[in-house]
Amino acid sequence: MSYPPETGSEISDTDGSDALEREIELFSHDIRSAVSDVIGGLRLIETQDLDAALRSQIGGIHASSEVLARLIEDALIFVSGGKHHHLLASNLHLRRFLRDMEKRWTMRGNLQGVTFTLDVAPDVPDVVQLDRLALERVLANLIGNGVKHAGESNVRLSVTLAEAEVLRFSVTDEGPGFSDAALTRLFSLNARSSEDEATGGGLGLHISKQNADTLGAKLSVTNLASGGAEAILEVPYQAWHAASDTGGGAPDLSAYRILVAEDNDTSQLLVSQMLATMGAECELASDGVEALNWMSWERFDLALIDIEMPRLGGLDVLRAARNRQRSGIYPSMPLIAMTTYVLRSNRDAIYAAGADGLLAKPLVSIESFGHALLHYIAAHASAPVIAAKGAEARQEALPYDRETLRNLLRIAGQECAPELMDRLQSDLAMVSRGMRAAQASGDLAETRNHTHILISLSSAVGAGKVHKAAQALNTAARQGNADAVARDTPDLLDALDRLRAALAVVPPQGD
């Protein structure tokens, strides 16, 4: 680092400020690069041949690294005086978020001899409109406190929908609880009393309270009569409720995470609100460098990339992203260009750079916008995946078999095919709800019943992955293997969500 001279020179405040900004920019670049290398390296680890414990460990590390990337990015934006995109309303896929937290804290608990358990009630909404980082910071500090003080016992995160549709997060532990002195100063900075035997300065609860206020939520902490402590975060309906009225024929995008790389504030607001209305979760990048950082750190189902951006233009982003997908550093996803330039030469350059599609700005119809995104996601799922270096190219099919579904609809006939598709989706939705309820209650009999139905439904449309997973889970439930059921149910629910989303865009006569 360069420092201003101690004597013999005069330096203006402006020069010092400019020098500091340059140093911050240089450090920010190196920090982001290092974080991207860590996450990219984790993605390159082949986990399928590893034992379950090691897979769980790597999954926890990966989840923690993504949280670290978000925290670092927020800190760097704060230090540089930049703009925080998360202040815009955005959807959060709550169950996916909670599964990532489960991976992180299961790993952390295992290291300290603590059993971490996640319970999510079946009526908890799939999509909420909350600041992801603020929620992460509240829960991470509450769980971290529990893990630190629980000894070799249990920490549990329970998520329920309470009276008046209050979203309730409860963290309980079996530790010694809080002293009377600590309870009177819970959320103060450096709240630990000298009388407390517990380690730490109480900073975690102070951070939790600050971020609870950001969420518009209430945070309370009490000791339990049975021993241990309980921290409760209550988020009122108006603070988490995500609007779902798409205003007509706009599709449901609640199964997807989308990156929006756009430097114009008005366009950012328009696109993010359209996506939020359709249920999608999205992240915003204001330039090409920020877009590549997001793709380095997190998983998306699709990226929307403006062609004209500062620091790094859209064409360069497309080329870099495709190269990194080939190396296995970035997950494969469709890359869609957005531009006001629609001349033939512009189109050719955009597709040559690696775009899967092109959307002309301004976007005037939420319905056509939503259906276009679904089209690109479905088309990408049926296309060959870009192979990583040294790996064999493989074909990743749609979550159902096209020919099997076509034959099924031919048998139904033109008049009955739409009703058949409606009933299929209704049955799959019923199975999804039932399995989530069984997961929350640990009811093996219900898991067995619903996977039995799913085995039949998935077979009818040639959904091989769902079919195989449902058979395995059904067997585990029949054998009373609760650990296997708890471990494998989230993966089956993910595959089922993908199947439902893919079938939602199939024309009544088949694709």
Side-chain angles (χ1 to χ4, degrees):
M1 177 185 286
S2 59
Y3 296 90
E6 294 182 7
T7 58
S9 297
E10 293 185 0
I11 186 167
S12 70
D13 290 341
T14 301
D15 290 340
S17 176
D18 289 344
L20 179 59
E21 287 180 7
R22 284 194 299 273
E23 291 294 349
I24 290 173
E25 183 178 359
L26 294 174
F27 268 108
S28 298
H29 173 272
D30 290 348
I31 290 170
R32 288 174 172 125
S33 294
V35 172
S36 297
D37 288 345
V38 170
I39 297 176
L42 287 169
R43 284 176 176 157
L44 290 173
I45 297 174
E46 297 289 343
T47 60
Q48 61 267 26
D49 296 328
L50 303 178
D51 62 67
L54 193 51
R55 281 203 309 272
S56 174
Q57 190 85 341
I58 291 173
I61 294 170
H62 199 166
S64 297
S65 69
E66 292 183 355
V67 176
L68 177 63
R70 282 179 173 269
L71 289 168
I72 288 174
E73 182 65 18
D74 224 48
L76 292 176
I77 290 173
F78 176 79
V79 169
S80 63
K83 179 176 58 180
H84 289 261
H85 297 307
H86 60 79
L87 296 179
L88 293 174
S90 178
N91 289 337
L92 171 65
H93 291 174
L94 184 59
R95 293 179 187 275
R96 184 187 299 174
F97 165 82
L98 291 170
R99 284 197 293 274
D100 283 344
M101 288 210 75
E102 183 179 28
K103 291 176 186 176
R104 176 186 177 188
W105 290 102
T106 297
M107 175 200 70
R108 174 80 172 272
N110 288 341
L111 293 174
Q112 297 185 223
V114 173
T115 300
F116 175 75
T117 306
L118 170 67
D119 289 330
V120 184
D123 59 348
V124 167
D126 290 327
V127 178
V128 295
Q129 200 166 85
L130 287 173
D131 182 332
R132 177 190 179 117
L133 189 58
L135 181 60
E136 176 86 46
R137 294 182 71 187
V138 175
L139 296 180
N141 278 288
L142 297 180
I143 297 169
N145 271 352
V147 169
K148 182 190 298 182
H149 301 298
E152 294 186 356
S153 60
N154 303 302
V155 174
R156 181 182 300 273
L157 169 61
S158 300
V159 187
T160 57
L161 203 57
E163 187 177 348
E165 298 192 86
V166 170
L167 191 57
R168 190 175 187 270
F169 301 84
S170 166
V171 178
T172 57
D173 66 69
E174 298 175 2
F178 292 86
S179 69
D180 291 340
L183 285 172
T184 63
R185 308 170 55 193
L186 275 175
F187 305 124
S188 303
L189 191 62
N190 300 321
R192 286 286 182 199
S193 163
S194 58
E195 302 169 8
D196 287 331
E197 296 180 3
T199 58
L203 190 59
L205 286 176
H206 176 71
I207 294 170
S208 295
K209 181 62 168 64
Q210 280 190 324
N211 283 275
D213 292 343
T214 297
L215 293 167
K218 175 185 175 184
L219 180 62
S220 59
V221 177
T222 58
N223 286 329
L224 297 172
S226 57
E230 180 179 30
I232 298 174
L233 177 73
E234 294 180 304
V235 188
Y237 175 79
Q238 63 270 22
W240 66 259
H241 177 63
S244 58
D245 181 8
T246 60
D252 179 8
L253 300 183
S254 60
Y256 303 112
R257 294 191 74 231
I258 295 171
L259 174 65
V260 179
E262 166 65 67
D263 65 313
N264 180 273
D265 288 348
T266 302
S267 294
Q268 279 186 359
L269 180 60
L270 174 64
V271 174
S272 62
Q273 289 292 357
M274 291 172 78
L275 291 172
T277 300
M278 292 184 283
E281 181 181 349
C282 76
E283 299 292 350
L284 297 172
S286 291
D287 57 54
V289 173
E290 196 175 335
L292 291 178
N293 285 336
W294 272 116
M295 285 187 267
S296 294
W297 299 338
E298 299 211 8
R299 298 152 290 173
F300 295 94
D301 297 293
L302 179 141
L304 292 167
I305 300 167
D306 183 33
I307 295 302
E308 296 295 323
M309 289 188 293
R311 289 212 289 173
L312 192 68
L315 294 180
D316 291 323
V317 171
L318 289 167
R319 295 186 191 102
R322 286 304 184 208
N323 286 335
R324 295 175 191 185
Q325 285 179 346
R326 291 187 186 96
S327 70
I329 297 172
Y330 286 5
S332 181
M333 76 182 97
L335 306 174
I336 310 303
M338 297 190 299
T339 182
T340 54
Y341 303 104
V342 292
L343 297 176
R344 178 60 181 272
S345 58
N346 299 123
R347 289 176 180 270
D348 290 346
I350 289 169
Y351 283 114
D356 292 287
L358 190 153
L359 295 175
K361 295 196 298 183
L363 304 169
V364 295
S365 167
I366 187 172
E367 291 85 358
S368 60
F369 177 47
H371 285 294
L373 298 187
L374 279 179
H375 165 75
Y376 289 124
I377 291 170
H380 183 78
S382 63
V385 172
I386 297 175
K389 284 181 181 176
E392 225 175 84
R394 67 192 188 276
Q395 183 79 11
E396 181 161 335
L398 284 165
Y400 62 87
D401 181 71
R402 275 196 171 106
E403 196 54 41
T404 301
L405 181 59
R406 284 177 184 143
N407 288 334
L408 181 67
L409 295 176
R410 287 191 200 104
I411 293 170
Q414 188 171 359
E415 290 185 3
C416 296
E419 182 181 353
L420 176 64
M421 290 298 294
D422 286 343
R423 289 190 179 185
L424 176 62
Q425 284 282 32
S426 177
D427 287 344
L428 290 172
M430 178 271 294
V431 168
S432 178
R433 290 193 299 271
M435 287 190 61
R436 293 187 196 282
Q439 179 188 30
S441 64
D443 192 329
L444 298 185
E446 280 299 295
T447 296
R448 189 170 65 249
N449 292 338
H450 287 292
T451 51
H452 177 74
I453 297 169
L454 187 55
I455 289 168
S456 175
L457 295 173
S458 58
S459 177
V461 297
K465 182 176 180 179
V466 172
H467 185 75
K468 182 178 179 181
Q471 284 182 317
L473 200 59
N474 184 269
T475 299
R478 244 186 313 111
Q479 294 174 345
N481 190 340
D483 289 341
V485 170
R487 182 192 66 223
D488 296 339
T489 295
D491 289 339
L492 177 55
L493 287 171
D494 276 345
L496 179 54
D497 287 344
R498 292 284 180 183
L499 176 61
R500 292 175 60 198
L503 290 173
V505 299
V506 174
Q509 282 69 43
D511 57 357

